[in-house]
Amino acid sequence: MRPFAVILSTVAVCAACAADPVAPDAVPARSSFDPALIAKGAQLAAIGNCQACHTAEGGRSFAGGRPIETPFGTFYGTNITPDPDTGIGRWSEQAFVRALREGVDRDGRHLYPAFPYEYYTRLTDEDIHALYAYIATREPVRAQNRPHELRAPFNLRGLLGTWKALYFERGAFRPDAVRDAQWNRGAYLVNGLGHCGACHTPRGVLGAEKKDQAFSGGVAEGWHGPALNTRSPAPVPWTAEQLFKYLRTGLDDTHAIAAGPMEPVVRNLARAPEEDVRAMAAYLEALAGPPSAERRKKADVALAQAKAASRANGRGAEVYAGTCAACHDRGREAGSGGALPLALGTAMTIPTSSNLLRITLEGIAPPEGEPGRSMPGFADALTDGQVKDLAGYIRSEFGRAAAWTDVDEELKKIREERR
């Protein structure tokens, strides 16, 4: 065996466990929890988007199995129902707290940071207690966890000890005495349970967030999470009221509809307390700061362009006219039956073509049986050449920016995923 392989094997064996196991203990009966505490836990779980990551498409709630694609391979959401054999039915509250605060499971093993304990470590004792009450009282589902499919050496769990020593910062949330209560509540939720930075912050080669670039834009499941700070690429700057409306409904008159990983987030936040979502919106508005004179000028240009139909020529313009213009040139006024004018969309202004291509090919649709705005996908209607022409036209005409250089790569990736 090669020396490096020996070292890795030794690390995997010796460091796989981060702590002593917590003795198995059946979760308490539902009757032992105050119904108000369970209800509070349900609201907190909605803010944390817990169900989305721990529920497979068409599967039972919280029973795991949902694939989460990353640069290191595929993670699968685990079964967190109180089933004693395949879920967390033998997890005491002590074990539950340790998982959220320290990223260590009941058996003492390091947890992969796909489970965002980097954020959950900031939760208060009261909120973790309420979350435990809620999770412990869900319907038990017997469903074996699917093993993660990770590339070497990332499949060696023991290496997480080194990763955590380098990047994981334990600690409670610290309020800012200079800010008001709403801002602090929003900061606590966004930087804690909501773990918004997990999708909206760039990461390094080992998957750790670049802390000095917090909220400057990231990647989640093949989608680009736009910057939420002063680098926000939104053609029209967000207000707290617009952010609140978007976070609750996924729709705002001058911003694009929620899509991709953001869609389930919005669906969950619709069930969260209004005051909490307003606090998150207030914090995010402050994070972006007041728009500069240059940004306001660009917003005025975008708004003016949104009222005028496109007049450019070329192959991309022809594809746009045949597939997009009927809805997007109509506007989004009440009763118009139209869609957002693309001059107001963020997908046209971000540094990658990934979001626009995914929306074009896959469309947007609410979960089956639920109301919501929708857009058809054109994966079977457009050739690769037409998609490229359309993307180039939209980027130039509506994004008012230099051509993307990643269209071929992103288009190939999305096509392969759909096979």
Side-chain angles (χ1 to χ4, degrees), residues 291-378:
S292 64
E294 182 181 0
R295 277 214 73 192
R296 289 196 297 269
K297 183 177 180 180
K298 288 183 178 180
D300 290 340
V301 171
L303 289 167
Q305 186 180 12
K307 295 178 182 179
S310 170
R311 289 176 170 74
N313 297 313
R315 291 179 303 182
E318 291 173 0
V319 178
Y320 176 83
T323 58
C324 315
C327 292
H328 288 285
D329 280 359
R330 193 182 300 175
R332 199 190 260 169
E333 287 78 11
S336 71
L340 182 77
L342 295 188
L344 305 180
T346 301
M348 279 55 74
T349 61
I350 59 178
T352 173
S353 63
S354 59
N355 291 14
L356 177 65
L357 294 177
R358 287 184 181 277
I359 293 170
T360 300
L361 296 176
E362 300 170 1
I364 299 173
E368 187 174 354
E370 295 189 22
R373 292 260 184 157
S374 63
M375 171 189 146
F378 295 94

Side-chain angles (χ1 to χ4, degrees), residues 68-406:
I68 301 172
E69 302 293 339
T70 76
F72 313 105
T74 304
F75 291 93
Y76 292 93
T78 55
N79 182 349
I80 58 170
T81 72
D83 179 71
D85 298 319
T86 63
I88 60 171
R90 300 178 191 271
W91 284 48
S92 64
E93 187 166 349
Q94 176 192 355
F96 187 79
V97 170
R98 185 171 74 170
L100 269 67
R101 287 264 171 81
E102 300 178 28
V104 177
D105 71 6
R106 188 184 65 78
D107 293 326
R109 300 180 306 164
H110 291 297
L111 291 170
Y112 283 97
F115 175 63
Y117 51 81
E118 294 178 273
Y119 290 85
Y120 297 163
T121 188
R122 302 180 179 120
L123 298 184
T124 64
D125 292 341
E126 294 78 11
D127 281 353
I128 294 180
H129 182 52
L131 281 167
Y132 182 72
Y134 175 68
I135 296 298
T137 54
R138 297 309 87 207
E139 180 184 359
V141 178
R142 185 174 180 79
Q144 292 289 345
N145 288 316
R146 184 171 175 176
H148 304 314
E149 298 171 359
L150 306 178
R151 296 187 287 96
F154 306 109
N155 57 343
L156 298 175
R157 191 180 290 265
L159 295 177
L160 287 170
T162 300
W163 187 94
K164 290 166 80 173
L166 291 171
Y167 303 115
F168 178 38
E169 298 177 5
R170 298 169 177 80
F173 171 75
R174 293 182 177 83
D176 186 339
V178 177
R179 300 284 190 166
D180 61 22
Q182 185 184 53
W183 185 96
N184 274 299
R185 178 64 176 170
Y188 169 72
L189 294 173
V190 166
N191 295 296
L193 197 55
H195 60 284
C196 303
C199 294
H200 292 274
T201 297
R203 297 176 181 271
V205 293
L206 295 180
E209 291 182 15
K210 297 181 179 180
K211 307 287 188 184
D212 60 338
Q213 299 178 42
F215 298 104
S216 292
V219 176
E221 300 178 64
W223 290 75
H224 178 80
L228 301 178
N229 55 18
T230 56
R231 300 180 184 179
S232 169
V236 178
W238 289 90
T239 66
E241 187 61 33
Q242 290 171 335
L243 282 162
F244 167 73
K245 182 180 177 183
Y246 176 80
L247 291 173
R248 293 279 276 190
T249 69
L251 193 67
D252 174 70
D253 290 343
T254 56
H255 296 88
I257 189 173
M262 192 63 197
E263 188 276 327
V265 172
V266 165
R267 195 163 8 110
N268 277 304
L269 289 178
R271 306 199 304 268
E274 177 178 333
E275 61 271 21
D276 279 346
V277 182
R278 286 196 179 279
M280 294 173 73
Y283 173 75
L284 291 171
E285 181 191 43
L287 190 67
S292 64
E294 182 181 0
R295 277 214 73 192
R296 289 196 297 269
K297 183 177 180 180
K298 288 183 178 180
D300 290 340
V301 171
L303 289 167
Q305 186 180 12
K307 295 178 182 179
S310 170
R311 289 176 170 74
N313 297 313
R315 291 179 303 182
E318 291 173 0
V319 178
Y320 176 83
T323 58
C324 315
C327 292
H328 288 285
D329 280 359
R330 193 182 300 175
R332 199 190 260 169
E333 287 78 11
S336 71
L340 182 77
L342 295 188
L344 305 180
T346 301
M348 279 55 74
T349 61
I350 59 178
T352 173
S353 63
S354 59
N355 291 14
L356 177 65
L357 294 177
R358 287 184 181 277
I359 293 170
T360 300
L361 296 176
E362 300 170 1
I364 299 173
E368 187 174 354
E370 295 189 22
R373 292 260 184 157
S374 63
M375 171 189 146
F378 295 94
D380 298 327
L382 298 178
T383 66
D384 283 359
Q386 288 173 318
V387 173
K388 293 175 187 178
D389 289 339
L390 178 63
Y393 168 73
I394 288 177
R395 172 69 164 176
S396 173
E397 180 72 13
F398 301 108
R400 300 171 300 282
W404 282 306
T405 59
D406 65 347

